[in-house]
Amino acid sequence: MSQDIDYVVFDKFDGGINTFNALTNLKPNELEDCQNVYPESRGAIRKIKGWTKFLSTDAGGSAVTGLYEFQKKDGTRFKIKVQGAAIYVWNTSTLAWDNKTGSCTITSNKNYQWRFADMGDKVFAVNGYDAPIYWDGAAASFSTFSGANIPSTAEGLFVWQNRLWFFCTTEAATLYPMRVRASDNGDPSTFSDANAFVDVDGAFGGRFLTCVYPDRQNYAYAFCIPKGVYILIWDAT
């Protein structure tokens, strides 16, 4: 697991690397050298602290198909692992993995990689094959969704416009490889609006790959295969 990171904020960071001028001639927005840091788009420089060993061995045996750190609003963090036919949460008291699968179905297959997202103090996960699941950090196990308009599977998910979105969904036994479906506003566990989805033109036989990546305000980018980048605009009205 990665260590905590520090932020150093600059008013501007658009000068880049200047290896030509002397140090005394550098502008405030220029650097002579830049190592072990990552410049962000808004002008911050993120320090990279590297990695530390979490476990020397893992007795699970089966392929690990998901790793995630879930952080609640109060700062509590949970390390989550999907391995074999189970999903686990690291117990900081016993220093062991607690099985949180419950009645959820976790198919053991190295090709079914799990993706995660946080919203409303819950963590949500999908793998494109099993039913979407979620956990609130307190329940004895993960749960599957209940209610109308819940996709039976989704290959990916993201949080945008105060909603949880699933993409590349299977609904009523039909695969929609170019669909993104939204939860209710502010409620990631409920999908009450049957029409809260977007079917991007898939005439070329496309499929959402890593899919929509949130940008600013009401815009999002959708990355598809075999080719194509779409800009999605969501109008909740």
Side-chain angles (χ1 to χ4, degrees), residues 14 57 111:
D14 55 5
T57 60
N111 296 317

Side-chain angles (χ1 to χ4, degrees), residues 21-57:
N21 293 333
L23 284 174
T24 55
N25 293 328
L26 292 184
K27 298 178 181 178
N29 63 339
E30 294 178 337
L31 292 173
E32 179 196 31
D33 195 9
C34 191
Q35 297 183 10
N36 296 320
V37 295
Y38 182 81
E40 295 187 335
S41 60
R42 295 185 177 182
I45 295 181
R46 183 176 71 178
K47 184 177 180 180
I48 301 174
K49 289 189 175 180
W51 302 81
T52 58
K53 182 182 291 186
F54 181 62
L55 289 174
S56 297
T57 60

